């Protein structure tokens, strides 16, 4: 587990509360996966050192949202052969905020940053 993943997990713990050993291990795995997913979405030219804080925060938000989905039973699909886990489409505030945070560095060329008045 990378130091970023440890930081992500420790911050996520603040939001999800007390965890037994199994849930703590699950959260640890989720944090690694979420960070990898976010990094995979970044454009190749992005200097991750310059946006590391945003990566960490977005990862925390997505990890917390994923834990909540596991706990609320919104699992829509689970395939063990290829380890595919699908949830109902999560449009929660943490997920939307995470996507807005990383949008400027993502491979998708569109990012809405707001309009100055």
């Amino acid at each position: 587990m990378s130091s970023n993943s440890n930081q992500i997990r420790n911050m996520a713990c603040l939001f999800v509360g007390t965890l037994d050993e199994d849930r703590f291990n699950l959260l640890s795995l989720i944090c690694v996966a979420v960070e990898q997913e976010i990094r995979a979405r970044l454009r190749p030219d992005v200097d991750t050192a310059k946006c590391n804080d945003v990566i960490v925060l977005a990862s925390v938000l997505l990890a917390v949202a994923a834990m909540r989905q596991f706990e609320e039973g919104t699992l829509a699909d689970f395939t063990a052969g290829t380890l595919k886990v699908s949830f109902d489409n999560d449009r929660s505030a943490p997920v939307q905020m995470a996507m807005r945070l990383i949008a400027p560095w993502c491979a998708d060329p569109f990012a809405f940053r707001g309009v100055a008045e």
Side-chain angles (χ1 to χ4, degrees):
M1 189 174 221
S2 74
S3 62
N4 262 357
S5 296
N6 285 328
Q7 181 183 13
I8 293 163
R9 184 200 55 221
N10 293 340
M11 292 175 72
C13 282
L14 297 174
F15 292 97
V16 297
T18 305
L19 300 171
D20 61 23
E21 184 178 354
D22 290 338
R23 289 178 60 223
F24 181 81
N25 291 335
L26 176 61
L27 179 62
S28 297
L29 292 172
I30 288 171
C31 290
V32 170
V34 165
E35 181 186 8
Q36 289 174 354
E37 178 185 348
I38 287 176
R39 289 182 183 279
R41 290 179 178 220
L42 300 178
R43 292 186 319 271
D45 65 323
V46 170
D47 180 358
T48 57
K50 292 183 178 178
C51 61
N52 190 61
D53 290 342
V54 172
I55 292 170
V56 168
L57 180 56
S59 296
V60 168
L61 293 168
L62 291 176
V64 169
M67 281 297 289
R68 288 185 179 153
Q69 284 191 312
F70 273 114
E71 292 170 352
E72 294 170 1
T74 58
L75 187 64
D77 182 35
F78 180 84
T79 305
T82 59
L83 190 56
K84 175 186 174 192
V85 179
S86 299
F87 293 96
D88 291 338
N89 196 7
D90 187 356
R91 299 199 184 280
S92 66
V95 170
Q96 290 182 27
M97 181 182 290
M99 293 299 109
R100 284 192 309 268
L101 285 169
I102 64 166
W105 295 277
C106 285
D108 183 355
F110 179 77
F112 183 75
R113 298 276 305 206
V115 178
E117 292 184 37

